[in-house]
Amino acid sequence: MGTKSAFNWITLWASLLFVVILGFSRLSYGIFLPGIQREIGGSYSQLGMLGTVNFIGYLIGTLCLSPLISRFPNQKHVINRVSCFLLGLAMIGSAFSDQFIQLGLWRFVIGWLSAIATVLVLSIAMDAVRPAERGVASGLIWLGGSAGILVTGLFAPLTIDPSHFDGWRIAWMAMGVFGVIAAIGFALITGKRDTPPLPPQVEPDSQERVNVYRLLLNPKKHLLLIGSYFFFGSGYIIYFTYLIPFLVSKGIPSLYAGLIWSGIGFAGLFNGWLGGKAIDRWPSGYTLAAGLTLGTIGVFGVATNHMIVTAIGAVTIGLVSFITPPLMTTALLRLHVPQHAYAASLSLATAFFAAGQIIGPIVGGVAVEKYGLQIGVASSAIFMAIAAVLAGVYGQRQRQLTSEGFSQSG
């Protein structure tokens, strides 16, 4: 049982790692697309497929994690240290890509490593925090992803402007170096914390995994929450993949495009804290649905073809529906899933999230090729709206179950 407050050194270093795991390794790809296209070539649909390759790696990573933990039940910290360190090195390696296939292989490896790091960093950090403050702690960790978005936006003049041919390479190398430093810092701060050995009679085998599947995929329990996470994954990744190419196609100067991107990250800094407080106070699918609904409205800023409205919509997404859905899903699972099954449950939920992110760039790429970048970006609103509806129904189902529990106890 955790004894630390939400504000502690482990949470801080976990947040710094999420700058890399989410902001740098995955979402920075969208703002680097114009520079990558100029140097390596390919259509936006083809380059979007590299995003799909990244999330295929992410999906495989989440599926590998559960058997990996089962095979080495007392080595969670070691597995995390290795995956985080290699993630930083892989980002550095990707900066030297000269061919489409080569970059795709690096994106796959980065996705695979980031999936393992996402689940383990959250699990290790949450184990140290008092249960009543885990929502806030989760928000603080996830806001690292927002900080990563903010920083990548500041790189925009270097990565988007045609005068800086290798700008995206320099930025990715710098991000990889930061990732190695963050991995070392987190390893040192958690180095003295060893996972207690499991009792001999406990065998984390197929029986436990079957229980996790039944728990999460049961329509009367958490299937709607998992479905919402899936559709959110599809929607948000379309937006983040094609937003910058859309702005560039409209002739927006690289500095302003970067500021819009940074605006998402800056707003997300408050999102993590506000979302964490909200889910601690109102641990319900309704809270999740509210953020997703506002995010859906924010996406429609692109459809207006007005840059100020687009910027306001982007900030809205950053404020209420960029970090909020992952941290709230994480917190809700932590509240309603048994302690021994949490890591496996989070891994399975993340697998559905990753599957949504695999589908998103494909659907978005088709929409971009057929209807243009504006419609392609705006198509993310469809997935966000479905996610909001499912979250709302999940909240209703949870309230019904709570009412039934009170009735039976009465």
Side-chain angles (χ1 to χ4, degrees):
M1 185 69 68
T3 58
K4 292 182 175 291
S5 69
F7 300 89
N8 64 77
W9 284 107
I10 294 177
T11 303
L12 172 63
W13 279 103
S15 183
L16 290 175
L17 266 176
F18 261 62
V19 171
V20 182
I21 293 170
L22 180 59
F24 288 175
S25 74
R26 284 151 58 191
L27 297 183
S28 67
Y29 180 70
I31 201 167
F32 292 167
L33 268 183
I36 293 172
Q37 186 184 46
R38 282 194 302 269
E39 189 167 354
I40 295 180
S43 66
Y44 280 125
S45 178
Q46 291 172 323
L47 292 170
M49 286 297 295
L50 292 187
T52 296
V53 169
N54 178 254
F55 291 111
I56 289 175
Y58 191 80
L59 174 60
I60 292 175
T62 60
L63 296 177
C64 289
L65 183 56
S66 184
L68 189 62
I69 293 176
S70 297
R71 178 67 178 84
F72 305 102
N74 302 321
Q75 302 299 319
K76 185 167 66 173
H77 288 260
V78 175
I79 296 170
N80 181 66
R81 290 166 194 160
V82 172
S83 63
C84 289
F85 183 73
L86 291 180
L87 176 60
L89 294 181
M91 290 182 62
I92 295 172
S94 68
F96 294 93
S97 300
D98 293 318
Q99 299 176 354
F100 193 80
I101 295 177
Q102 185 182 11
L103 181 58
L105 290 174
W106 279 117
R107 295 303 295 164
F108 175 85
V109 171
I110 287 171
W112 178 63
L113 291 170
S114 66
I116 296 173
T118 296
V119 176
L120 291 182
V121 169
L122 277 171
S123 178
I124 291 169
M126 290 298 98
D127 285 344
V129 176
R130 291 190 289 264
E133 298 184 49
R134 282 172 177 164
V136 174
S138 180
L140 292 172
I141 294 170
W142 279 102
L143 69 78
S146 295
I149 294 296
L150 192 158
V151 172
T152 54
L154 299 179
F155 278 118
L158 178 66
T159 58
I160 296 177
D161 197 315
S163 63
H164 299 288
F165 198 67
D166 291 330
W168 64 276
R169 297 182 186 275
I170 297 171
W172 249 340
M173 282 190 282
M175 291 174 180
V177 171
F178 180 87
V180 171
I181 295 172
I184 294 173
F186 190 74
L188 290 175
I189 202 67
T190 59
K192 297 181 180 180
R193 293 177 169 271
D194 298 321
T195 304
L198 292 173
Q201 70 271 21
V202 176
E203 297 181 5
D205 58 8
S206 60
Q207 182 63 42
E208 180 176 321
R209 292 197 292 272
V210 169
N211 290 340
V212 170
Y213 291 130
R214 289 177 179 174
L215 180 65
L216 294 189
L217 303 183
N218 188 332
K220 294 183 179 180
K221 292 186 178 179
H222 303 297
L223 178 61
L224 292 170
L225 177 64
I226 300 304
S228 175
Y229 206 22
F230 168 84
F231 282 103
F232 167 72
S234 296
Y236 102 97
I237 201 60
I238 292 174
Y239 188 83
F240 277 88
T241 300
Y242 296 108
L243 175 63
I244 292 299
F246 165 70
L247 295 175
V248 172
S249 72
K250 291 296 181 181
I252 302 299
S254 59
L255 176 61
Y256 295 152
L259 288 176
I260 291 175
W261 186 267
S262 292
I264 299 174
F266 181 74
L269 296 177
F270 300 95
N271 180 331
W273 184 79
L274 291 173
K277 294 288 285 186
I279 201 64
D280 275 341
R281 185 168 183 178
W282 301 290
S284 166
Y286 289 132
T287 310
L288 173 59
L292 289 168
T293 299
L294 291 173
T296 302
I297 296 171
V299 170
F300 279 115
V302 172
T304 65
N305 209 29
H306 194 288
M307 287 305 105
I308 293 179
V309 178
T310 298
I312 293 174
V315 172
T316 300
I317 291 170
L319 185 61
V320 297
S321 59
F322 163 46
I323 297 299
T324 293
L327 80 85
M328 287 190 176
T329 301
T330 300
L332 287 171
L333 286 175
R334 191 74 183 187
L335 286 171
H336 300 294
V337 169
Q339 171 73 22
H340 74 274
Y342 175 68
S345 298
L346 182 58
S347 178
L348 182 58
T350 305
F352 276 85
F353 181 50
Q357 293 175 102
I358 290 171
I359 293 172
I362 297 174
V363 175
V366 171
V368 166
E369 291 296 316
K370 193 170 184 179
Y371 302 107
L373 281 164
Q374 184 176 30
I375 298 299
V377 177
S379 67
S380 63
I382 299 173
F383 294 95
M384 296 278 283
I386 295 173
V389 170
L390 292 176
V393 176
Y394 174 75
Q396 183 182 36
R397 180 63 55 84
Q398 290 299 105
R399 188 168 68 174
Q400 289 174 349
L401 291 175
T402 302
S403 299
E404 291 173 2
F406 279 130
S407 298
Q408 292 175 0
S409 63

